[in-house]
Amino acid sequence: MSDETKAMLSIYDEPISEQQSPSSTTEESPDEIASHLSLDASVVPYIGQQFVTHDAAYEFYSQFAKRCGFSIRRHRTEGKDGVGKGLTRRYFVCHRAGNTPSKQPSLKPQRNRKSTRCGCQSYMRISKISDGGMHEWRVTGFVNYHNHELLEPDQVRFLPAYRVISDSDKTRILMFYKSGITVQQMMRLMELEKCVEPGKLPFTEKDVRNFIQSLRKLDQEEEGIDLLRMCKSIKERDPNFCYNFTVDSSNKLENIAWSYASSVQSYDIFGDAVVFDTSHRIAALDMPLGIWIGMNNYGLPCFFGCVLLREENSQSFAWALQVFLSFMNGKAPQTILTDQNVCLKDAIEMEMPDSKHAICLWLIVGKFASWFNAVLGERYTEWKMEFYRLYNCETIEEFEIGWHEMVENYGFQTNRHITNLYACRSLWALPYLRGHFFAGFCTAGASKSINAFIQRFLSAQTQLAHFVDQVAVTVDYRDQTSELQSMQQNLQNISFKTGAPMEAHAASILTPYAFSKLQDELVMATHYACFQTDNNSFLMRHHSKTHTGGDRTVTWVPHHELLSCSCRMFEFSGILCRHALRVLSTANCFQIPDHYMPVRWRRTHYSVVLGRENGILDDQSEKVKTLQLMVSDLLNEAVKSKERVELVSMEVEGLLARLRQQPVNKNRQMDFIN
């Protein structure tokens, strides 16, 4: 699109007010007009031309105007005196007829809008003729003289009168709109569907945006009612669906939170570490969005819940946390990661006092460019590497010394962002966090997968009720994708790197994701020398180190199978560190103690895990344990080939179908659980 066309569009998109009608009655023959404009005479209006309705006359004149390079608008109407006499005369004028109306003084700020009116005298007048009880409209005046240049065919289509979105196109746009794709993507898809060149649709991106905006202009109260109605409908279909809401003093929806049955079940196992991301807003609704996300045993994000808030304050966040805990049967996470938000920090201290609160590193790093790029210039990349080095320091003392040196080297003594980061260092720096469980959320891969998960429904430009529906679709898609990726992980052949019995034992129990982490530690364990300092203590030193720097102390109590390392990796990730594994090898242990392969990282099916965590089956525990081992063996054998997976899937489906047909004695079930 040329610059001239864009400039023309910026003018023609402005509204035109009526003021002056044409006064000329000069006429020109149709043949003369047709010859001058290189048109067929049949498409040129002429005096005496007849139409059944005034709308038919308008449409005919509009098509003529489009061929000529201008558009028209309805102008003055005239009728007979007296009530009920009806309309007798209409004027259709060029869109540039009349003069620019003068603005009236106003206290309110007014936009300095440009006008296209230039006093053009072109018009067509029609009059109503009655003959023997029949009525028709005839052209009684027609002037085609313009005091402005007419547009070329490739420009006239941009005039507002010809930019029309058909009903079928509106339906398509509405469907695209609900799916969350961008306007640019909508335009390209419709261009491909209609087999037209880019930019040749009968409407522009601005028209699509205006149409979408008209969909958003709903009464907020009605929109809230629609949302609650949808939640109620979901609850009727799925009794395990959870939702809660508050209303303000005007009885309008204020806050709402919801979760799904599968989310509650996942939280029972993977709710030890939770990300509560409140860094996004729903643009179409102008509401802060909060999303609770965890990580499953295959290292994939899992959805726990969602909340929409009217305000971002301590009271709103406290309500959100209260409702989330009620959804999850009062179980608070061990660790909760959030954005750097003072109000949210206060709410967590009040509602989850026993949970470790930390700040997501990727949410901090995402702001670095705007904070430090201009200040540091070419040294920005160098400083960022130094920040990551400090973030990964082994000890608090090392971090503190390095931080003060960094501030001095880069002249950050008065930088408010550096001051704020240091003030809350215990919430984001690893030396302060390693004693708490984070389920791998501190890795770069975790941040990317979480952001990709959120973006699937965050991009939905839709109404409030449709947004909840979009979240449900995304969660279902995520669950299916997780199952597929889990199966793909299980189908991959495991490559052993050490040949140690501990490696084979761990591979049979842990998921491929968790096993790969443990395997890396097993490989590195061979690089460490092990010195026993007393009965239960061991000093670990890397083979390349000749001094005490970097040494680790491991405590091993064989009688109780208790392990601990000063690096605290197991407490942080749930995966045994290289130092502890080296001690187990020295102690001639061929299997990793059961309690150092947490349930959350195992292949075990959720229902088996839940039964064990809830204390089910005191007298049946051995049978359940045997069944669990059988299931584990079944998986290990099945993943050796695609054919085995298909066979096992078919047999297990049949077994489950028969099992579900077996009656369950409710009383015995309760006795069983209690």
Side-chain angles (χ1 to χ4, degrees):
M1 190 185 299
S2 67
D3 293 339
E4 293 180 358
T5 302
K6 291 180 180 178
M8 176 195 70
L9 279 174
S10 67
I11 296 176
Y12 290 149
D13 281 333
E14 300 296 334
I16 302 173
S17 58
E18 315 289 344
Q19 190 171 32
Q20 185 175 345
S21 63
S23 57
S24 173
T25 58
T26 304
E27 298 175 3
E28 189 177 8
S29 71
D31 291 336
E32 291 175 335
I33 297 175
S35 176
H36 177 69
L37 297 174
S38 301
L39 297 175
D40 189 281
S42 63
V43 301
V44 180
Y46 59 90
I47 301 298
Q49 188 175 7
Q50 300 174 0
F51 297 97
V52 177
T53 65
H54 58 82
D55 287 334
Y58 177 85
E59 182 61 27
F60 183 87
Y61 189 31
S62 178
Q63 291 301 316
F64 166 77
K66 187 175 183 179
R67 291 185 177 95
C68 293
F70 68 101
S71 65
I72 64 172
R73 54 186 169 87
R74 292 178 173 88
H75 189 51
R76 195 171 67 219
T77 60
E78 297 176 354
K80 292 181 179 180
D81 295 335
V83 179
K85 295 298 182 179
L87 185 68
T88 60
R89 186 179 297 174
R90 295 210 66 160
Y91 287 84
F92 306 130
V93 300
C94 174
H95 71 287
R96 302 194 69 176
N99 297 312
T100 304
S102 59
K103 293 185 178 181
Q104 299 297 325
S106 175
L107 297 177
K108 296 182 179 179
Q110 299 183 19
R111 292 175 59 185
N112 185 23
R113 293 180 174 177
K114 298 178 181 179
S115 174
T116 63
R117 299 191 180 189
C118 62
C120 180
Q121 299 295 308
S122 178
Y123 78 99
M124 186 177 83
R125 181 182 66 236
I126 58 175
S127 300
K128 189 175 184 180
I129 307 299
S130 299
D131 186 9
M134 301 296 291
H135 304 286
E136 64 180 10
W137 292 85
R138 293 181 185 175
V139 177
T140 58
F142 174 56
V143 172
N144 197 48
Y145 294 118
H146 298 268
N147 63 352
H148 56 89
E149 291 186 3
L150 299 179
L151 300 177
E152 297 296 328
D154 62 338
Q155 294 177 325
V156 71
R157 64 191 180 90
F158 291 115
L159 290 173
Y162 305 126
R163 286 166 21 206
V164 179
I165 304 178
S166 66
D167 290 340
S168 60
D169 286 334
K170 287 180 179 179
T171 301
R172 296 290 291 167
I173 291 171
L174 180 60
M175 182 186 68
F176 294 147
Y177 167 67
K178 290 182 179 180
S179 69
I181 68 174
T182 65
V183 173
Q184 291 88 346
Q185 291 170 331
M186 293 182 195
M187 297 292 288
R188 187 55 184 149
L189 282 172
M190 287 188 285
E191 288 168 350
L192 293 172
E193 289 176 347
K194 296 176 182 293
C195 299
V196 300
E197 296 179 7
K200 297 295 184 180
L201 289 172
F203 47 84
T204 64
E205 284 188 19
K206 181 175 181 179
D207 299 321
V208 175
R209 294 184 191 279
N210 288 341
F211 173 65
I212 291 174
Q213 187 63 31
S214 70
L215 297 176
R216 295 175 183 166
K217 290 180 179 178
L218 299 174
D219 183 77
Q220 291 294 322
E221 184 175 357
E222 291 297 324
E223 197 168 354
I225 293 173
D226 288 342
L227 173 58
L228 294 177
R229 188 181 293 117
M230 169 168 280
C231 288
K232 183 179 179 181
S233 175
I234 298 175
K235 184 72 173 179
E236 290 173 352
R237 298 194 307 267
D238 180 8
N240 294 318
F241 173 74
C242 307
Y243 76 101
N244 204 337
F245 63 94
T246 63
V247 294
D248 59 18
S249 57
S250 301
N251 206 32
K252 294 182 180 180
L253 183 65
E254 187 176 36
N255 307 308
I256 185 166
W258 66 95
S259 184
Y260 305 95
S262 61
S263 301
V264 176
Q265 186 182 33
S266 296
Y267 183 85
D268 280 332
I269 308 166
F270 308 121
D272 39 20
V274 174
V275 171
F276 184 30
D277 192 336
T278 59
S279 61
H280 304 284
R281 295 181 73 89
I282 303 302
L285 311 172
D286 193 29
M287 295 182 72
L289 170 70
I291 309 168
W292 288 280
I293 299 174
M295 182 180 289
N296 69 12
N297 50 340
Y298 284 85
L300 302 172
C302 51
F303 176 87
F304 291 150
C306 203
V307 63
L308 285 168
L309 304 171
R310 183 180 296 179
E311 302 290 341
E312 290 183 280
N313 53 42
S314 298
Q315 183 179 359
S316 296
F317 285 132
W319 177 85
L321 295 174
Q322 291 170 9
V323 172
F324 178 72
L325 289 176
S326 69
F327 291 165
M328 303 306 166
N329 303 311
K331 179 182 177 182
Q334 295 179 31
T335 306
I336 180 168
L337 294 92
T338 71
D339 193 7
Q340 194 174 358
N341 187 305
V342 176
C343 294
L344 184 53
K345 179 177 180 293
D346 294 339
I348 291 173
E349 290 177 354
M350 181 170 54
E351 302 299 332
M352 297 180 176
D354 296 328
S355 299
K356 172 59 181 177
H357 178 214
I359 297 175
C360 298
L361 181 68
W362 65 85
L363 295 178
I364 296 177
V365 173
K367 304 172 185 176
F368 278 0
S370 61
W371 286 354
F372 305 117
N373 205 349
V375 176
L376 294 172
E378 295 180 353
R379 301 186 70 192
Y380 172 70
T381 302
E382 174 192 318
W383 171 83
K384 201 171 179 181
M385 293 177 62
E386 176 64 11
F387 175 85
Y388 278 118
R389 187 190 70 79
L390 294 173
Y391 168 75
N392 286 290
C393 282
E394 295 289 344
T395 65
I396 293 176
E397 181 182 6
E398 182 184 355
F399 172 85
E400 293 287 344
I401 294 173
W403 184 270
H404 291 296
E405 289 177 351
M406 179 270 292
V407 170
E408 187 70 26
N409 292 338
Y410 290 89
F412 278 150
Q413 291 86 348
T414 59
N415 187 286
R416 63 185 180 89
H417 297 301
I418 290 293
T419 301
N420 291 336
L421 283 174
Y422 183 72
C424 63
R425 61 194 181 282
S426 62
L427 300 180
W428 59 264
L430 288 187
Y432 295 91
L433 301 176
R434 285 199 174 92
H436 304 276
F437 184 70
F438 279 77
F441 274 127
C442 292
T443 63
S447 66
K448 291 180 180 178
S449 62
I450 289 174
N451 285 331
F453 173 74
I454 293 175
Q455 290 300 324
R456 283 196 63 85
F457 55 83
L458 188 66
S459 61
Q461 304 177 47
T462 185
Q463 299 169 14
L464 196 54
H466 292 157
F467 176 75
V468 177
D469 190 39
Q470 182 72 18
V471 173
V473 171
T474 303
V475 171
D476 288 341
Y477 173 83
R478 179 73 260 177
D479 290 344
Q480 295 174 20
T481 303
S482 295
E483 291 179 5
L484 175 62
Q485 292 177 325
S486 301
M487 184 195 72
Q488 291 173 341
Q489 283 190 29
N490 288 328
L491 285 174
Q492 294 173 356
N493 293 324
I494 296 176
S495 176
F496 295 113
K497 298 179 179 179
T498 67
M502 276 192 295
E503 186 179 20
H505 175 240
S508 67
I509 296 176
L510 300 177
T511 63
Y513 170 81
F515 174 70
S516 67
K517 305 294 183 184
L518 182 73
Q519 190 178 48
D520 291 341
E521 296 301 311
L522 277 169
V523 171
M524 293 304 300
T526 60
H527 295 202
Y528 281 79
C530 180
F531 306 97
Q532 186 168 4
T533 56
D534 58 38
N535 290 337
N536 297 323
S537 296
F538 297 82
L539 180 69
M540 312 303 301
R541 180 175 297 170
H542 194 269
H543 71 88
S544 64
K545 300 290 180 65
T546 58
H547 52 83
T548 58
D551 288 355
R552 293 289 179 266
T553 301
V554 177
T555 301
W556 165 240
V557 184
H559 180 68
H560 299 289
E561 292 189 330
L562 295 179
L563 265 173
S564 67
C565 179
S566 59
C567 76
R568 312 202 75 178
M569 177 177 170
F570 180 77
E571 291 82 357
F572 183 70
S573 65
I575 302 294
L576 275 182
C577 64
R578 59 198 67 177
H579 319 110
L581 292 170
R582 179 69 174 86
V583 168
L584 289 178
S585 178
T586 301
N588 297 322
C589 294
F590 300 108
Q591 291 187 353
I592 297 173
D594 186 69
H595 47 277
Y596 289 108
M597 289 188 287
V599 168
R600 67 120 47 241
W601 292 130
R602 297 191 180 203
R603 299 173 184 259
T604 311
H605 192 270
Y606 295 176
S607 58
V608 176
V609 175
L610 289 173
R612 189 169 66 184
E613 287 198 342
N614 291 331
I616 297 178
L617 320 180
D618 290 339
D619 58 337
Q620 301 290 330
S621 58
E622 289 301 321
K623 292 183 179 179
V624 172
K625 188 173 183 180
T626 301
L627 179 61
Q628 181 180 342
L629 292 174
M630 291 172 62
V631 171
S632 179
D633 291 340
L634 182 68
L635 284 172
N636 291 334
E637 292 297 325
V639 299
K640 292 180 179 179
S641 71
K642 184 177 180 181
E643 292 74 18
R644 287 191 175 196
V645 169
E646 293 176 352
L647 174 63
V648 170
S649 298
M650 182 176 63
E651 294 294 334
V652 170
E653 285 178 3
L655 177 61
L656 284 174
R658 294 195 300 273
L659 186 62
R660 291 182 180 123
Q661 294 175 358
Q662 296 296 316
V664 178
N665 187 314
K666 297 290 185 180
N667 293 329
R668 290 195 62 188
Q669 185 184 35
M670 292 305 298
D671 293 339
F672 201 47
I673 295 176
N674 295 328

